[in-house]
Amino acid sequence: REILVLILDFGSQYTHLITRRIRSLSVFSLCISGTSPLSSITSLNPKVVILSGGPHSVHADDSPSFADGFAEWAQSNGVFVLGICYGLHLLVQRLGGEVRVGEKQEYGRMEIEVEKSCGIFGGKKVGDRQVVWMSHRDEAATLPNGFEVVARSQQGAVAAVEDKDRRFYGLQYHPEVTHSPEGMETLRSFLFEVCGVNAGWKMEDVMDEDIKVINNMVGSDDHVICALSGGVDSTVAATLVHRAIGDRLHCIFVDNGLLRYKERERVMETFERDLHLPVTCVDATEQFLSKLKGVVDPELKRKIIGKEFICVFGAFAKELENNLGKKPAFLVQGTLYPDVIESCPHQELEELTLTQSKVIIMLEVRQLGRILTVPYSFLNRHPFPGPGLAVRVLGDVTEDNALDTLRQVDEIFIQSIKDAGIYDSIWQAFAVFLPVKSVGVQGDQRTHSHVVALRAVTSQDGMTADWYVFIALHCFALRDWCNVYVPHLSQLYTVTSICSNA
């Protein structure tokens, strides 16, 4: 069927967020590489093409760009094109305009003002203002023939442009992030009013299409490995693949000694009792912690943990090959898009594919999980970092009983939030073991021990976040929690709540 909206990815951390935002409007969208050949783009027959942002400058010799002939093809076929941030710069430069380094580079929240009424801003009038999220060093200085300025920032930079006759549009800011409060309205106006796109796509379509894709990709005798982290994303990906190919899916869950309180028992129960997934649990605690002993640098921790995971997966794959008499053909990895950025995936997945010939990555999963009847309590869990508690212990994870203390503090903190009825209002809450000590009082004696910090943030997509504002009632609850629960730990730990009114 026709792909209505095609996103060309030029490396922005928000690119897949654009895809999700458009799908949330009941419009089907697909994301491919921004440097894809023109034949790949035309074969998808898109009605709309969005050029994403990216970390590059159009002035750099190695900056990515769309294929030669793209603009001419879009114009001759009536395809609407929207450039966002770097995508705007590409349009301006490739069509004969000028992009230069801005005198006042704009990052973060910025107010823009409408200079020309147009469909992309719906019913807004000249002089209307809105707050948007900027992130750019370059800016459009001279527009190509046919383009007009639609809006400017409060510093005078071009914020929105259009060439109505050729159906080319551009935004200097990111409408897809929640820090652009009216961004979704802008995307809605652009798609429905400007481009004439019809809504009607639904998430159930993704499940049916993905199952067909999996069945077409995976041969009838092929076996597949899935690395289950215990998180929402890998679990939903495994559930989807299991529905497609049954017990030719072989899941592995690794206990690396860096998990949350009773995490292993809880997730294995969900895997086996609720989802009926074929899962092998591997206890590699000693293997991981022995390699982390004495390591304090967080980036080195991450690399060590990643390497050990690959070793464990490789050993599991080899054992499975011996049992099956053939190599598993695929590795399934489910992940959030922020994790793709965080994990530097291209290098690491390349290493993983030394064991498995192909990698299947699922990026959009929570809505799909509901359709697949994954338990709500599991789907709604706060995200947990890939390196686990290793990055929440700021120091050597094997010293000062840090891991056990952090597990207990984190468990009580999360349970207190649930008891207060605010767990679902917080995107992520967690505790951090700090490498500093503070003076406290336990009973009638003064103590000197480590500090544990508590953190709670709100977000809709994991790409941008704000602190969670604990109201007085919640702060009293935390105070009571400190008084009641902390003395039950092996030692008294000073607890610092990090929030906006701390």
Side-chain angles (χ1 to χ4, degrees):
R1 69 190 176 117
E2 181 185 24
I3 301 298
L4 289 180
V5 180
L6 181 66
I7 293 96
L8 297 186
D9 179 14
F10 292 103
S12 169
Q13 60 178 323
Y14 306 131
T15 298
H16 283 273
L17 187 55
I18 303 172
T19 309
R20 289 170 56 191
R21 292 286 186 257
I22 293 173
R23 290 184 176 188
S24 73
L25 296 172
S26 299
V27 176
F28 186 64
S29 60
L30 181 69
C31 179
I32 66 173
S33 170
T35 58
S36 297
L38 185 59
S39 59
S40 297
I41 298 172
T42 59
S43 66
L44 294 171
N45 191 29
K47 182 180 180 68
V48 181
V49 175
I50 296 179
L51 312 177
S52 86
H56 316 281
S57 168
V58 293
H59 300 298
D61 293 336
D62 58 350
S63 61
S65 184
F66 48 74
D68 290 341
F70 166 77
E72 293 77 10
W73 165 81
Q75 183 179 352
S76 61
N77 287 274
V79 176
F80 292 85
V81 179
L82 173 66
I84 296 177
C85 200
Y86 178 75
L88 165 63
H89 300 162
L90 282 177
L91 273 180
V92 171
Q93 186 199 54
R94 292 289 299 269
L95 296 177
E98 180 190 2
V99 176
R100 66 186 178 199
V101 177
E103 295 181 3
K104 296 180 179 179
Q105 298 164 16
E106 298 173 327
Y107 296 94
R109 290 183 175 90
M110 180 69 61
E111 193 174 70
I112 66 170
E113 181 176 331
V114 176
E115 289 194 352
K116 177 183 180 293
S117 295
C118 75
I120 198 169
F121 286 134
K124 290 192 176 296
K125 302 175 182 178
V126 175
D128 285 349
R129 298 182 178 186
Q130 62 176 294
V131 174
V132 300
W133 186 258
M134 292 285 193
S135 180
H136 67 98
R137 186 169 64 96
D138 294 344
E139 64 181 45
T142 305
L143 297 181
N145 292 334
F147 277 82
E148 294 182 273
V149 176
V150 173
R152 291 186 184 272
S153 73
Q154 63 188 48
Q155 297 186 145
V158 172
V161 301
E162 71 168 6
D163 182 339
K164 194 172 182 179
D165 291 340
R166 288 191 287 181
R167 300 180 178 85
F168 293 155
Y169 299 80
L171 298 172
Q172 181 60 78
Y173 63 92
H174 291 276
E176 67 273 22
V177 302
T178 56
H179 286 357
S180 293
E182 298 181 58
M184 281 299 292
E185 277 303 313
T186 299
L187 288 176
R188 183 180 286 107
S189 295
F190 174 69
L191 292 174
F192 298 147
E193 297 179 22
V194 175
C195 304
V197 169
N198 295 318
W201 174 88
K202 55 187 184 297
M203 181 55 71
E204 284 82 354
D205 295 337
V206 170
M207 183 182 72
D208 295 339
E209 289 171 3
D210 283 347
I211 288 176
K212 290 178 182 178
V213 168
I214 293 168
N215 282 322
N216 289 334
M217 183 184 299
V218 180
S220 59
D221 295 325
D222 286 341
H223 289 256
V224 176
I225 287 180
C226 180
L228 283 174
S229 67
V232 176
D233 308 285
S234 61
T235 300
V236 173
T239 304
L240 180 67
V241 175
H242 188 243
R243 180 167 294 193
I245 67 171
D247 287 344
R248 286 184 291 124
L249 172 69
H250 307 271
C251 300
I252 174 175
F253 175 76
V254 180
D255 183 352
N256 59 1
L258 302 167
L259 303 177
R260 288 171 284 198
Y261 183 76
K262 291 189 177 180
E263 176 81 349
R264 174 175 169 179
E265 295 87 345
R266 290 169 176 172
V267 299
M268 285 300 295
E269 182 180 17
T270 298
F271 294 155
E272 295 171 353
R273 183 195 65 191
D274 299 321
L275 302 175
H276 310 293
L277 291 174
V279 185
T280 298
C281 182
V282 176
D283 187 346
T285 299
E286 181 60 32
Q287 177 178 339
F288 279 81
L289 296 187
S290 63
K291 297 292 177 65
L292 290 169
K293 185 175 180 59
V295 179
V296 298
D297 179 74
E299 182 62 16
L300 182 55
K301 287 180 186 178
R302 193 190 70 79
K303 290 181 178 179
I304 291 171
I305 293 167
K307 183 177 180 181
E308 292 309 309
F309 269 125
I310 291 171
C311 291
V312 174
F313 295 153
F316 176 73
K318 188 64 178 176
E319 182 179 354
L320 187 61
E321 179 184 350
N322 292 335
N323 293 336
L324 297 173
K326 60 187 299 186
K327 288 184 177 181
F330 294 85
L331 170 69
V332 177
Q333 178 174 331
T335 183
L336 285 168
Y337 191 66
D339 292 338
V340 174
I341 300 166
E342 176 72 19
S343 300
C344 304
H346 302 296
Q347 177 182 353
E348 293 183 3
L349 290 182
E350 184 178 350
E351 293 182 74
L352 283 170
T353 55
L354 295 178
T355 304
Q356 316 307 332
S357 60
K358 300 181 184 71
V359 180
I360 305 170
I361 303 178
M362 304 295 179
L363 289 167
E364 189 177 88
V365 292
R366 288 184 187 267
Q367 284 181 279
L368 198 54
R370 296 186 186 99
I371 298 169
L372 292 166
T373 66
V374 177
Y376 174 81
S377 59
F378 197 90
L379 282 178
N380 212 42
R381 299 177 84 202
H382 290 180
F384 189 62
L389 296 180
V391 293
R392 293 181 179 174
V393 174
L394 304 188
D396 188 340
V397 301
T398 64
E399 291 185 349
D400 299 314
N401 197 36
L403 288 172
D404 286 341
T405 299
L406 190 57
R407 287 190 185 100
Q408 294 179 67
V409 173
D410 189 74
E411 173 71 7
I412 297 169
F413 182 35
I414 296 301
Q415 189 58 51
S416 298
I417 289 172
K418 289 180 177 179
D419 292 344
I422 58 175
Y423 182 83
D424 290 349
S425 300
I426 298 172
W427 184 76
Q428 187 179 44
F430 56 92
V432 179
F433 189 97
L434 303 178
V436 295
K437 292 186 176 183
S438 181
V439 174
V441 175
Q442 184 176 19
D444 296 326
Q445 296 183 342
R446 195 170 295 279
T447 59
H448 184 241
S449 195
H450 288 278
V451 175
V452 175
L454 306 181
R455 181 69 165 157
V457 298
T458 61
S459 178
Q460 292 188 16
D461 45 53
M463 305 306 299
T464 58
D466 278 325
W467 55 66
Y468 179 79
V469 179
F470 285 96
I471 63 175
L473 178 63
H474 301 150
C475 291
F476 282 128
L478 287 173
R479 180 202 64 187
D480 294 339
W481 165 76
C482 294
N483 292 336
V484 173
Y485 289 105
V486 174
H488 290 276
L489 299 179
S490 56
Q491 299 181 52
L492 176 65
Y493 286 79
T494 303
V495 180
T496 302
S497 177
I498 304 176
C499 57
S500 62
N501 55 352

